[in-house]
Amino acid sequence: MPKAIKKIGVLTSGGDSPGMNAAIRSVVRTCAYHNVECVGIYRGYEGLIEGDFQLLDARSVRGIINKGGTMLKSARSKEFREKEGRQKAFRKLSEASIDALVIIGGDGSFTGAMIFNEEFDFPVIGIPGTIDNDIVGTSNTLGFDTALNTVVDAIDKIRDTASSHNRLFFVEVMGRDVGHIALNVGIAGGAEEILIPEEDLGLDRLVESLNRSRKSGKTSSIVVVAEGDKIGKNIFELKDYVDQNMEGYDVRVSVLGHMQRGGPPSCFDRVLASRMGVKAVESLLEGKTNYMVGLMNGAMELTPLEMAIKGKTKINLELLRVSDIMST
Amino acid sequence: MPKAIKKIGVLTSGGDSPGMNAAIRSVVRTCAYHNVECVGIYRGYEGLIEGDFQLLDARSVRGIINKGGTMLKSARSKEFREKEGRQKAFRKLSEASIDALVIIGGDGSFTGAMIFNEEFDFPVIGIPGTIDNDIVGTSNTLGFDTALNTVVDAIDKIRDTASSHNRLFFVEVMGRDVGHIALNVGIAGGAEEILIPEEDLGLDRLVESLNRSRKSGKTSSIVVVAEGDKIGKNIFELKDYVDQNMEGYDVRVSVLGHMQRGGPPSCFDRVLASRMGVKAVESLLEGKTNYMVGLMNGAMELTPLEMAIKGKTKINLELLRVSDIMST
Amino acid sequence: MPKAIKKIGVLTSGGDSPGMNAAIRSVVRTCAYHNVECVGIYRGYEGLIEGDFQLLDARSVRGIINKGGTMLKSARSKEFREKEGRQKAFRKLSEASIDALVIIGGDGSFTGAMIFNEEFDFPVIGIPGTIDNDIVGTSNTLGFDTALNTVVDAIDKIRDTASSHNRLFFVEVMGRDVGHIALNVGIAGGAEEILIPEEDLGLDRLVESLNRSRKSGKTSSIVVVAEGDKIGKNIFELKDYVDQNMEGYDVRVSVLGHMQRGGPPSCFDRVLASRMGVKAVESLLEGKTNYMVGLMNGAMELTPLEMAIKGKTKINLELLRVSDIMST
Amino acid sequence: MPKAIKKIGVLTSGGDSPGMNAAIRSVVRTCAYHNVECVGIYRGYEGLIEGDFQLLDARSVRGIINKGGTMLKSARSKEFREKEGRQKAFRKLSEASIDALVIIGGDGSFTGAMIFNEEFDFPVIGIPGTIDNDIVGTSNTLGFDTALNTVVDAIDKIRDTASSHNRLFFVEVMGRDVGHIALNVGIAGGAEEILIPEEDLGLDRLVESLNRSRKSGKTSSIVVVAEGDKIGKNIFELKDYVDQNMEGYDVRVSVLGHMQRGGPPSCFDRVLASRMGVKAVESLLEGKTNYMVGLMNGAMELTPLEMAIKGKTKINLELLRVSDIMST
């Protein structure tokens, strides 16, 4: 029979995403609701190794549900990748009488959590916090919905100036391995083309398609490019190629960058974070470990961490088709 | 064998919602993609009866994906409730050689569509456009997600002034029959209590709960109230009751009203609208009729109109519980 | 020669407004820059009387420049209106060795500050913080610009639904005594009519004007009404009158309420707050007292409190004329 | 005696800015108010040379006051720089019986307007439309206020992620020749340093200042860099230098780019545009020519185009000082 859980630690790890604070708040309040102590661990696994802990009660997470970023800060930790680092972490947890961990982060963070669980039989539950929406076991990662709205708002603004000047804009959005952000904002932003890592359109076909769109009477265009797209070595080379191979377009580049990670979370992400925090804590209290909480068909479900980190979620092919039809 | 469909009409009906324009755009462009003509029908069933039609091509819906409201305008029509009105409508459709209709609206509009289909064997497909999210057969109605963000943004602002003055705010949000908006924005806005039509907390328990929250150290509070809540006859009576039965609170009321229906649709609603428009047109082209398109477990699905209008979707009880835990 | 100032207190009083936090931050950091101690006084004059003080250093105001509301909270104090209350306040200030006060608030707060200065020869400087922009001696009060943007955003949303349904909306905005908000948002929101306390259009002329606008082909209209407008006893009566005396309009009312006070301050208000905080502290250090800082022709200027509280700023008649021409 | 003005042309030229549409609307409606015809000229001086004209009435500018960009489109014209091009333009104006021009644009556009006026004695009035706020004769150019809010919103988002990760961000904002945007958003965004073209801080002092800020306990920093800043050859070199010469910072770059030009104009810019349009048209009707309208000390004033294009407006030194004090 597993030891009763009296004290739960919570940390955020990897790139931050909107909704992480709302998830921390939910973890803390669910602990309070169940009369379990909750400890905030600063700077991810780094703070775990250093014992950078602080007891959190229901009041200490007031006013953070609508704040971007993470009050616990986040970091990447080389030391935690080594056995020795993880041993230090385990020692710190034992000293602080922490019985279980909630890890808010992406697949890298979950891999660490899984190894830690295996080595020390320490209860862990993951909450998927990343704007990339690339984690198996949940239809939405925390922050994805917010990032989509942030990017679409930026594209709307760029559209204003593009259509005032008959320009072609390449807009780079986040997504190193997967095109979820690009595909959604491309449709929502009315992009003429969407370039994603999963599909290599090829430069010739891109130019051909832009020429066709031009001839059909469009005088300005937006092409959404995922960071990890393979079509050019980078977005500036893409611009140069089009500049040299197309006439009559004034081509510009906009790299949206880190603003995509910030801002107040959307309603959806706040509610999702609140649900995930409850599910994570209550799963630990029920003796579950080594799972990730996720949203599946509208309900909170558990997925083994091992499955969550295996591969990336696939692009929805229906969306690709919708995008093609919309740019008719 | 059904007649081949060469020309599709599209109209918006009932209360407007963000995403209706994106859905119109999608219907028009999907028609263009399939070389089918598309006719915009103004002012819902009223314009249908009057023959207020306009041919729409792919270019005529440029620049509307990010606009709130509906370019086709909407109206409620008494005449269409009468057999005679519907006969006029059928005549106008025949004269204009329109073979099928896409109806964007709520359950009232769908009831009309279903009767019209039955009487004249006229192909119809519905797209659920309403901020209330109360239609069976789709996890999200068009505009619901946008409205949630609009309301949460307003609550965040009210929270600023509430916590600067130690005030208790009753914030009324839309939702005459169902509490979906109230429940989600209540969680996302960090409300202390959420009053919905589905649950009658009772005035005594409300006051008791607010007193408890006060004693626990909270100096300001927000109570989200759905329009259709039964606890008081209206929100101003609620305020009066609390004024008379609680001490130390400065109680205020804010009725958010019609701004909840407007604004640029969220990324989610734009993508959903685009998907629904494709599905609606292609379903008609496949000979389907009398269905509503919906989002079910992440995919586009058809639900018979008859089922869509039968009853309202239920509150997610998990969310009620999350709300309770969060206001710990 | 006045006593050298070693410690300055800062408080916010009256209704809160966006930019108050930015002003507090500026007061605190300017004190730090000049090696003067700074004490935050909670809940306005009430906290002053109770000695609810906290030492603030440059770090303690991190992350507040973009927050609405006031971290020092605000209140109205009956006790401070009595001599006895003010004596208590003076005692608390003496005990805490506070040498001077910065008062962030509106004309009511300044009246209190002026009397306090006269009775105890205690140095005070005011910073005009109110969304109403009704204070003589500054072209902009703190929060006015932010409130204008908040209201215009709401009107844009209401316009979406108004024009989808051919409706007439009465939108009530803040401004009990002056029409500055109404006049500006009316022009910016493209309102057909603007009703302000300074001008009584009369119900007949309102109806006449709306009828004219209707005949000229406008199918939806927005009328912006300042809270303090005298044309109807209140906005709901206005609606009833128009309902009974005009045909063909579906008339609705929207009272924007307290959300107008909240939200992150605009860039303008943050810069203004930063400038005012510097000017307030440096004026005290130069031995000035009983002044309000203000923005006059683009520069920071001092106005005697006595003048600042005498009367309200006048409506800009040029704007009234622009509004008339725009609703042509 | 000058010829009576019966028909006025309006065009937008140079980079677009939020508020241009509101200014077009105001020009059109003021013409309608005075029973003068108004002609929209597409694509700036290029459309002027080509005779790309369209008659605009009060209704044709409905629904544009809140749209970014310019419905008349904008362009830069090489041909108009040649005498021959200007002669073509004059011919087109004569053929269309246009008696006067309103030019909405920046100093380049005004130079063209002035030369045109001198060569053909053709009445012109300029409206300053550019986000850079660098034009003499007005305290605000159209779009400046909106751009400030757009940039500050982006910096707030970047701040979320910066402070979650203890990062140093260089954020590049528009402003090739002048630092107005950088200086204002730097203060409003709580930047640790602001690099502007007018002041060369020097790389050594920048590093020194960042080190000082680090030692004082700040764990994340934002440095706002105007496009035209001279400190590095560009912002990426700046990053490299700091990477090589500072320890313990994770340095990132964000180039905000063209989204700064778009979006719905702020309330301030909409009101300013409305006022400027009225003033421009009425000045032409009064026989004035070769002036720019501007906001001076809160009122609409005329400045000879010759003065408006001579030099750029100076940085407000008070703001530089406020910025220094705030980053204490």
Side-chain angles (χ1 to χ4, degrees):
Chain A
M1 207 193 92
K3 195 174 83 166
I5 285 171
K6 298 278 177 54
K7 197 189 268 189
I8 291 176
V10 56
L11 62 81
T12 48
S13 168
D16 62 312
S17 74
M20 282 188 161
N21 275 325
I24 294 167
R25 172 181 179 269
S26 175
V27 167
V28 170
R29 296 217 167 154
T30 309
C31 285
Y33 181 83
H34 288 290
N35 293 311
V36 170
E37 280 190 302
C38 188
V39 172
I41 298 163
Y42 287 88
R43 290 172 301 117
Y45 292 126
E46 228 168 78
L48 182 57
I49 290 169
E50 297 173 16
D52 193 356
F53 300 166
Q54 187 176 354
L55 212 60
L56 299 174
D57 67 6
R59 293 288 78 75
S60 54
V61 290
R62 286 200 80 175
I64 68 167
I65 194 170
N66 61 346
K67 302 290 180 292
T70 157
M71 65 169 273
L72 293 177
K73 304 202 170 204
S74 187
R76 298 178 201 277
S77 167
K78 279 187 195 164
E79 216 181 335
F80 196 73
R81 295 200 189 152
E82 308 298 324
K83 176 89 191 219
E84 209 186 308
R86 293 190 295 271
Q87 272 169 333
K88 277 194 208 166
F90 181 68
R91 220 152 31 227
K92 290 291 181 185
L93 287 168
S94 307
E95 286 168 20
S97 305
I98 295 172
D99 304 315
L101 277 179
V102 177
I103 309 292
I104 307 170
D107 52 6
S109 314
F110 290 168
T111 306
M114 204 177 67
I115 296 174
F116 188 72
N117 170 268
E118 282 158 13
E119 287 176 348
F120 302 98
D121 194 24
F122 196 90
V124 297
I125 292 277
I127 291 179
T130 159
I131 64 168
D132 290 340
N133 207 34
D134 57 354
I135 295 180
V136 174
T138 190
S139 62
N140 278 67
T141 54
L142 266 189
F144 176 58
D145 183 67
T146 304
L148 292 183
N149 284 328
T150 301
V151 175
V152 164
D153 184 59
I155 293 179
D156 283 355
K157 290 190 167 76
I158 292 170
R159 173 79 66 191
D160 285 341
T161 191
S163 57
S164 297
H165 285 92
N166 300 349
R167 277 177 180 155
L168 167 61
F169 265 92
F170 288 106
V171 180
E172 186 185 290
V173 303
M174 286 193 169
R176 213 171 289 275
D177 304 307
V178 291
H180 295 304
I181 293 177
L183 189 49
N184 280 277
V185 302
I187 292 174
E192 275 68 31
E193 286 291 343
I194 304 171
L195 308 180
I196 54 177
E198 289 89 342
E199 261 216 342
D200 187 351
L201 186 65
L203 280 167
D204 292 345
R205 280 192 43 216
L206 173 64
V207 168
E208 192 188 313
S209 154
L210 290 172
N211 275 329
R212 209 180 324 117
S213 142
R214 181 117 249 217
K215 275 175 201 149
S216 83
K218 287 196 188 177
T219 53
S220 66
S221 292
I222 284 179
V223 177
V224 169
V225 186
E227 254 179 326
D229 169 66
K230 309 294 188 313
I231 203 175
K233 268 194 275 172
N234 70 48
I235 198 170
F236 294 97
E237 292 181 355
L238 203 59
K239 172 195 184 315
D240 290 346
Y241 184 88
V242 173
D243 263 342
Q244 284 154 25
N245 292 276
M246 287 187 68
E247 269 175 40
Y249 261 125
D250 179 10
V251 190
R252 303 290 168 112
V253 163
S254 185
V255 177
L256 293 184
H258 279 78
M259 56 166 283
Q260 293 170 79
R261 288 197 183 287
S266 67
C267 182
F268 181 89
D269 276 329
R270 298 188 200 183
V271 173
L272 183 61
S274 303
R275 294 170 77 181
M276 285 179 163
V278 170
K279 182 72 177 176
V281 169
E282 299 194 335
S283 297
L284 284 172
L285 296 182
E286 289 163 10
K288 307 264 174 50
T289 180
N290 230 358
Y291 286 100
M292 181 192 80
V293 301
L295 183 70
M296 300 285 273
N297 300 338
M300 285 292 103
E301 303 289 354
L302 295 179
T303 299
L305 283 179
E306 200 179 351
M307 285 181 56
I309 64 181
K310 204 183 275 173
K312 302 283 182 179
T313 50
K314 297 277 181 300
I315 278 293
N316 183 342
L317 294 177
E318 182 214 334
L319 289 190
L320 265 186
R321 191 165 173 270
V322 167
S323 156
D324 276 352
I325 297 175
M326 288 306 106
S327 55
T328 300
Chain B
M1 210 194 89
K3 195 174 82 166
I5 286 173
K6 298 277 176 57
K7 197 188 268 188
I8 290 176
V10 56
L11 63 81
T12 49
S13 167
D16 63 312
S17 75
M20 281 189 161
N21 274 325
I24 294 167
R25 172 181 179 268
S26 175
V27 167
V28 170
R29 296 217 166 153
T30 308
C31 285
Y33 180 84
H34 288 291
N35 293 312
V36 169
E37 281 191 300
C38 189
V39 172
I41 298 163
Y42 287 88
R43 290 173 301 115
Y45 293 127
E46 229 167 77
L48 181 57
I49 291 170
E50 298 171 16
D52 193 355
F53 300 166
Q54 186 176 356
L55 211 61
L56 299 174
D57 67 6
R59 292 290 76 76
S60 56
V61 289
R62 287 203 81 176
I64 68 165
I65 194 171
N66 60 347
K67 302 291 180 289
T70 158
M71 64 169 274
L72 293 178
K73 304 203 170 204
S74 186
R76 299 180 200 277
S77 168
K78 278 188 197 164
E79 215 181 335
F80 196 74
R81 295 200 190 151
E82 309 298 323
K83 177 90 192 218
E84 209 186 306
R86 292 192 294 272
Q87 272 170 332
K88 278 193 208 164
F90 181 68
R91 217 147 38 222
K92 290 291 180 186
L93 287 168
S94 306
E95 286 167 20
S97 306
I98 295 172
D99 304 314
L101 277 179
V102 177
I103 309 292
I104 307 170
D107 52 6
S109 313
F110 291 168
T111 305
M114 203 176 66
I115 296 172
F116 189 71
N117 169 268
E118 282 159 12
E119 287 176 348
F120 303 97
D121 194 24
F122 197 88
V124 297
I125 292 277
I127 290 179
T130 159
I131 64 169
D132 290 339
N133 207 34
D134 57 353
I135 295 180
V136 173
T138 190
S139 62
N140 277 68
T141 54
L142 266 189
F144 176 57
D145 183 67
T146 304
L148 293 183
N149 285 328
T150 300
V151 175
V152 164
D153 184 60
I155 293 179
D156 283 354
K157 290 190 167 74
I158 292 171
R159 173 78 68 189
D160 284 341
T161 191
S163 57
S164 297
H165 285 92
N166 299 347
R167 278 176 180 157
L168 167 60
F169 266 92
F170 288 105
V171 180
E172 186 185 289
V173 303
M174 287 193 168
R176 214 171 289 275
D177 304 306
V178 291
H180 296 302
I181 292 177
L183 190 49
N184 280 276
V185 303
I187 292 174
E192 276 67 30
E193 285 292 341
I194 304 172
L195 308 181
I196 54 177
E198 290 90 341
E199 260 216 343
D200 188 350
L201 186 65
L203 280 167
D204 293 344
R205 278 191 45 215
L206 174 64
V207 168
E208 193 189 312
S209 156
L210 290 172
N211 275 328
R212 209 179 326 114
S213 141
R214 182 114 248 220
K215 275 175 200 148
S216 83
K218 287 196 190 177
T219 54
S220 66
S221 292
I222 284 179
V223 177
V224 170
V225 185
E227 254 179 328
D229 170 67
K230 309 294 188 315
I231 201 173
K233 269 194 274 174
N234 70 48
I235 198 171
F236 293 98
E237 291 181 355
L238 203 59
K239 172 195 185 313
D240 289 346
Y241 184 87
V242 172
D243 263 343
Q244 285 155 25
N245 292 277
M246 288 188 66
E247 270 177 39
Y249 262 124
D250 179 11
V251 191
R252 303 289 168 112
V253 162
S254 186
V255 177
L256 293 184
H258 280 78
M259 56 167 283
Q260 293 170 81
R261 289 198 182 285
S266 67
C267 183
F268 180 91
D269 276 329
R270 298 188 200 182
V271 173
L272 183 61
S274 302
R275 295 171 76 182
M276 285 179 164
V278 171
K279 182 71 176 176
V281 169
E282 298 194 336
S283 297
L284 285 171
L285 296 182
E286 289 163 10
K288 307 264 175 50
T289 179
N290 230 0
Y291 286 98
M292 181 193 80
V293 302
L295 182 70
M296 299 285 273
N297 299 337
M300 284 293 103
E301 304 289 355
L302 296 178
T303 298
L305 283 179
E306 198 180 353
M307 284 181 56
I309 63 180
K310 204 183 275 173
K312 301 282 182 179
T313 49
K314 297 277 181 301
I315 278 292
N316 183 341
L317 294 177
E318 183 213 335
L319 289 189
L320 264 187
R321 196 168 167 267
V322 167
S323 156
D324 276 352
I325 296 175
M326 288 307 105
S327 55
T328 300
Chain C
M1 209 192 91
K3 194 173 83 165
I5 285 172
K6 298 277 175 57
K7 197 187 269 189
I8 290 176
V10 56
L11 61 81
T12 49
S13 167
D16 64 311
S17 74
M20 281 188 162
N21 274 325
I24 294 166
R25 174 182 180 267
S26 175
V27 167
V28 170
R29 297 217 165 154
T30 308
C31 285
Y33 181 84
H34 288 291
N35 294 310
V36 169
E37 282 190 300
C38 188
V39 172
I41 298 163
Y42 287 88
R43 292 174 299 116
Y45 293 126
E46 228 166 79
L48 182 57
I49 290 169
E50 297 172 17
D52 194 355
F53 300 165
Q54 188 176 354
L55 212 59
L56 299 174
D57 67 6
R59 294 287 77 77
S60 54
V61 289
R62 285 201 82 174
I64 66 165
I65 194 170
N66 60 346
K67 303 289 180 292
T70 157
M71 63 170 273
L72 293 177
K73 304 202 170 205
S74 186
R76 297 179 202 278
S77 169
K78 278 188 197 162
E79 216 180 336
F80 196 74
R81 294 201 189 151
E82 309 298 323
K83 176 91 192 218
E84 209 185 308
R86 292 191 296 271
Q87 270 169 334
K88 279 194 209 167
F90 181 68
R91 221 151 31 226
K92 290 291 181 188
L93 287 168
S94 305
E95 285 167 21
S97 306
I98 296 172
D99 305 315
L101 278 178
V102 176
I103 309 293
I104 307 170
D107 53 5
S109 313
F110 291 168
T111 305
M114 203 176 66
I115 296 173
F116 188 71
N117 169 267
E118 281 159 12
E119 287 176 348
F120 302 98
D121 194 23
F122 196 88
V124 297
I125 293 276
I127 291 179
T130 160
I131 65 169
D132 290 338
N133 207 34
D134 57 352
I135 295 181
V136 174
T138 190
S139 62
N140 278 67
T141 53
L142 265 189
F144 176 58
D145 184 67
T146 303
L148 293 183
N149 285 328
T150 300
V151 175
V152 164
D153 184 60
I155 292 179
D156 283 354
K157 290 190 167 76
I158 292 171
R159 172 78 67 189
D160 284 341
T161 192
S163 56
S164 297
H165 284 91
N166 300 348
R167 276 176 181 157
L168 167 60
F169 265 91
F170 288 105
V171 180
E172 186 186 289
V173 303
M174 287 193 169
R176 214 171 287 277
D177 303 306
V178 290
H180 296 302
I181 292 177
L183 188 50
N184 280 276
V185 303
I187 293 174
E192 276 66 32
E193 285 291 342
I194 303 171
L195 309 181
I196 53 177
E198 290 90 341
E199 261 217 342
D200 188 350
L201 186 65
L203 281 166
D204 293 344
R205 277 190 45 213
L206 173 64
V207 168
E208 191 189 315
S209 153
L210 290 172
N211 275 329
R212 209 180 325 117
S213 140
R214 182 116 248 217
K215 276 175 200 149
S216 82
K218 288 197 189 175
T219 54
S220 66
S221 292
I222 285 180
V223 177
V224 170
V225 185
E227 254 178 326
D229 170 67
K230 309 295 188 313
I231 202 173
K233 266 195 276 171
N234 71 48
I235 198 170
F236 294 97
E237 292 180 355
L238 202 58
K239 172 194 185 314
D240 290 345
Y241 183 88
V242 173
D243 263 344
Q244 285 154 25
N245 293 277
M246 287 187 67
E247 269 177 40
Y249 262 124
D250 180 9
V251 190
R252 302 289 167 113
V253 163
S254 186
V255 177
L256 294 184
H258 280 78
M259 57 166 284
Q260 295 170 79
R261 289 197 182 286
S266 67
C267 183
F268 180 89
D269 275 330
R270 298 188 200 182
V271 173
L272 183 60
S274 303
R275 295 170 76 181
M276 284 178 163
V278 171
K279 182 70 176 179
V281 170
E282 298 195 334
S283 296
L284 284 171
L285 296 182
E286 289 163 10
K288 306 265 173 54
T289 181
N290 230 359
Y291 286 100
M292 181 193 82
V293 301
L295 182 69
M296 300 284 273
N297 300 336
M300 285 292 104
E301 303 288 355
L302 296 179
T303 299
L305 283 179
E306 198 179 352
M307 283 180 58
I309 62 180
K310 204 183 274 172
K312 302 281 182 180
T313 49
K314 297 279 181 299
I315 278 292
N316 182 342
L317 295 177
E318 182 214 333
L319 289 190
L320 264 186
R321 194 166 171 268
V322 166
S323 157
D324 276 351
I325 296 176
M326 288 307 105
S327 56
T328 298
Chain D
M1 210 194 91
K3 194 173 85 166
I5 287 172
K6 299 277 176 58
K7 197 188 270 189
I8 290 176
V10 57
L11 62 81
T12 49
S13 166
D16 64 311
S17 74
M20 281 188 162
N21 274 326
I24 295 166
R25 173 181 180 269
S26 175
V27 167
V28 170
R29 296 217 166 154
T30 309
C31 284
Y33 181 84
H34 288 291
N35 293 310
V36 169
E37 281 190 300
C38 188
V39 172
I41 298 163
Y42 286 88
R43 292 173 300 116
Y45 293 127
E46 230 167 78
L48 181 58
I49 290 169
E50 297 172 17
D52 194 356
F53 300 164
Q54 187 175 357
L55 212 59
L56 299 174
D57 67 5
R59 293 287 76 77
S60 55
V61 290
R62 285 202 82 175
I64 67 165
I65 194 170
N66 60 345
K67 303 291 181 289
T70 157
M71 64 169 273
L72 293 178
K73 304 204 171 204
S74 186
R76 298 181 201 276
S77 168
K78 278 188 197 163
E79 214 179 337
F80 196 72
R81 293 200 191 153
E82 308 300 323
K83 176 90 193 219
E84 209 185 308
R86 292 191 296 271
Q87 271 169 333
K88 279 193 208 165
F90 181 68
R91 219 148 36 223
K92 291 291 181 187
L93 288 169
S94 305
E95 285 167 21
S97 307
I98 296 172
D99 304 314
L101 279 178
V102 176
I103 310 292
I104 307 170
D107 51 6
S109 314
F110 291 168
T111 305
M114 203 177 66
I115 296 173
F116 189 72
N117 168 268
E118 281 160 14
E119 287 176 348
F120 302 98
D121 193 23
F122 196 89
V124 297
I125 292 276
I127 291 178
T130 160
I131 64 169
D132 290 338
N133 207 35
D134 57 353
I135 295 180
V136 174
T138 189
S139 62
N140 278 66
T141 54
L142 265 190
F144 176 58
D145 184 66
T146 304
L148 293 183
N149 284 328
T150 300
V151 175
V152 164
D153 183 60
I155 293 179
D156 283 354
K157 290 190 166 75
I158 292 171
R159 172 78 67 189
D160 284 342
T161 192
S163 57
S164 296
H165 285 92
N166 299 347
R167 278 175 180 157
L168 167 61
F169 265 92
F170 288 105
V171 180
E172 186 185 289
V173 302
M174 287 194 168
R176 214 171 287 276
D177 304 307
V178 290
H180 295 302
I181 292 177
L183 189 50
N184 280 277
V185 302
I187 292 174
E192 276 67 32
E193 284 291 342
I194 303 170
L195 308 181
I196 54 177
E198 290 89 340
E199 260 218 341
D200 188 350
L201 186 65
L203 281 166
D204 293 345
R205 279 191 44 212
L206 173 64
V207 168
E208 191 188 315
S209 154
L210 291 171
N211 275 329
R212 210 178 325 117
S213 141
R214 181 118 250 215
K215 275 175 202 151
S216 83
K218 288 196 187 175
T219 54
S220 66
S221 292
I222 284 179
V223 177
V224 170
V225 185
E227 255 180 325
D229 170 65
K230 310 295 187 313
I231 203 172
K233 268 195 274 171
N234 70 47
I235 198 170
F236 294 98
E237 291 182 356
L238 202 59
K239 171 193 185 315
D240 290 345
Y241 184 88
V242 172
D243 264 342
Q244 285 155 26
N245 292 277
M246 287 188 67
E247 271 177 38
Y249 261 125
D250 180 9
V251 191
R252 303 289 169 113
V253 162
S254 185
V255 176
L256 293 184
H258 279 79
M259 56 167 282
Q260 294 169 79
R261 289 197 183 286
S266 67
C267 183
F268 180 89
D269 276 330
R270 298 188 200 183
V271 173
L272 183 61
S274 303
R275 296 170 76 182
M276 284 178 164
V278 170
K279 182 71 177 178
V281 169
E282 299 195 334
S283 297
L284 284 172
L285 296 182
E286 289 164 9
K288 306 265 172 52
T289 181
N290 231 358
Y291 285 99
M292 181 192 82
V293 302
L295 183 69
M296 301 285 273
N297 300 336
M300 285 292 105
E301 303 289 354
L302 296 178
T303 299
L305 283 179
E306 198 179 354
M307 284 180 58
I309 62 179
K310 204 182 275 173
K312 302 281 182 179
T313 49
K314 297 276 181 300
I315 279 291
N316 182 341
L317 295 176
E318 183 213 333
L319 289 189
L320 265 186
R321 195 166 170 268
V322 167
S323 157
D324 276 351
I325 296 175
M326 288 307 105
S327 56
T328 299

